[in-house]
Amino acid sequence: MSSKNFSGFPDLPDLTFLREMLGNDEESLKEVVSIFLEDGPPMVKSLEESVRLKDYDMIKRTSHTLITELSTVGITSVVPDLKRMNKSAKDMTDIEEVMQRITDVVDKSVLFFKSMM
Amino acid sequence: MEKILVIDDDKLVRKVFKLTLSKEGYDVLEAEDGRQGLQLIKTENPDLVLTDFQMPGINGLEVIAEITRLKLNIPVIMLTGYGDVSLTIKSIQKGAFEFLEKPTKPEVLKSTVRKALDSAQTSRNLPEVITSEEEADKELDNNFLVGRTPRMKEIFKNIGMISMNKVNVLIEGETGTGKELIARLVHFSGITRDKPLVVVNCSALTETLLESELFGHVKGSFTDSIRDKKGKFELAGDGTIFLDEISEISLNTQVKLLRVI
């Protein structure tokens, strides 16, 4: 199944980069996606918790890792939000709102990835 | 098969690098932190190391420092994430061959890996400083040039003339035509044969490192310069310094080089 089947849902993952990286090998793609399904959602949960606790060191660390993770699996629409968090979480007055958006997009992407497996 | 070690605490990143590089024909090993990485470096002797910068425990800089301390000639490519710019500079100063920002474009990854492996191979094959008369004779025997055509005879004549004078020599030619052999013949045939021959592969080093290699530095001249270091020019003394791949050096370094030669 291709991400292009989901046109009209701009927040869904774009797997172009990953496919290119893996030489269009669908098996390899699934291997990578399964690792994301295992590690990605708990990482987002951890970020949510850090936002709730206003643990800015942890926000910085987790957002840093998530930027790479989400960029790799093509969930790019929330990467600018994560970069903002990484840079200046303390000054963000809309941090809860932004966190909610990240959670929604990742949740939707997880469903999409599960449909691929 | 060339062996590459990927050190990263992010499983997904390790997997992507492993799958991508395996498809290129490399044997890829994985380590999930610096400690495990250093163990594999000692037991598996990889040809190249790709290491993440920020890891719990031993970080990427410490991995480079340990490789340097053990005098292992293994190039290291530093993997950096978002916002690691200042640390990136530090990693180059510490001796990383190159840094790559994650996620890395496949063509950039593949070409950087190839370049790092080739550079390491080249420097392994070339003795850095050759001084004795005996070694000079051996070098001459090993680096023979064949050819009876008028053009080759012309080259031999030129080598004869050049090697009896203290001059700068620019050797041009396509890859594989034997520029390095010519350079060695010039050195070992004439007045410099009992003096050091110092070889510097300009493409294997970043701008900052190349300058430090060529001109040396004194203790404290920059962060982490913990002792005085003689430059290759000083090491060559009255001998020859062979600047391999000189066309690869930056304009900035060219200006500095002009003041010396």
Side-chain angles (χ1 to χ4, degrees), chain B residues 122-130 139 180 183-184 187-188 196-202 204-205 210 213-214 232-233 235-236 240-245:
Chain B
T122 306
S123 63
R124 267 196 287 268
N125 290 342
L126 297 177
E128 275 204 331
V129 181
I130 294 164
E139 276 292 316
E180 190 192 321
R184 285 174 176 263
H187 175 79
F188 290 112
L197 165 64
V198 176
V199 181
V200 182
N201 185 341
C202 301
L205 299 164
L210 179 63
E213 281 293 306
L214 292 177
K232 298 290 192 212
F233 276 103
L235 286 173
T240 306
I241 182 162
F242 172 42
L243 303 172
D244 197 10
E245 306 287 353

Side-chain angles (χ1 to χ4, degrees), chain B residues 118-186:
Chain B
D118 288 345
S119 295
Q121 189 58 45
T122 306
S123 63
R124 267 196 287 268
N125 290 342
L126 297 177
E128 275 204 331
V129 181
I130 294 164
T131 47
S132 79
E133 189 87 6
E134 196 186 326
E135 280 177 301
D137 284 340
K138 215 164 109 188
E139 276 292 316
L140 263 185
D141 287 344
N142 291 340
N143 290 293
F144 61 90
L145 278 180
V146 291
R148 291 175 185 165
T149 61
R151 292 299 294 272
M152 283 307 288
K153 283 180 183 165
E154 188 79 16
I155 289 172
F156 294 142
K157 266 164 54 187
N158 284 338
I159 290 173
M161 281 190 294
I162 290 164
S163 61
M164 297 313 288
N165 294 283
K166 282 203 159 199
V167 286
N168 294 324
V169 183
L170 176 66
I171 307 166
E172 293 180 298
E174 293 190 9
T175 305
T177 50
K179 296 184 289 297
E180 190 192 321
L181 284 179
I182 299 283
R184 285 174 176 263
L185 272 175
V186 169

Side-chain angles (χ1 to χ4, degrees), chain B residues 76-143:
Chain B
V76 180
I77 295 174
M78 186 65 81
L79 304 171
T80 64
Y82 173 73
D84 287 340
V85 179
S86 62
L87 299 176
T88 299
I89 294 168
K90 219 172 182 180
S91 71
I92 295 296
Q93 286 173 341
K94 282 269 185 183
F97 176 81
E98 189 57 276
F99 66 90
L100 294 174
E101 198 172 326
K102 296 182 286 184
T104 316
K105 287 181 179 166
E107 65 274 19
V108 175
L109 172 68
K110 289 170 196 170
S111 69
T112 308
V113 162
R114 195 60 261 158
K115 203 173 165 190
L117 286 165
D118 288 345
S119 295
Q121 189 58 45
T122 306
S123 63
R124 267 196 287 268
N125 290 342
L126 297 177
E128 275 204 331
V129 181
I130 294 164
T131 47
S132 79
E133 189 87 6
E134 196 186 326
E135 280 177 301
D137 284 340
K138 215 164 109 188
E139 276 292 316
L140 263 185
D141 287 344
N142 291 340
N143 290 293

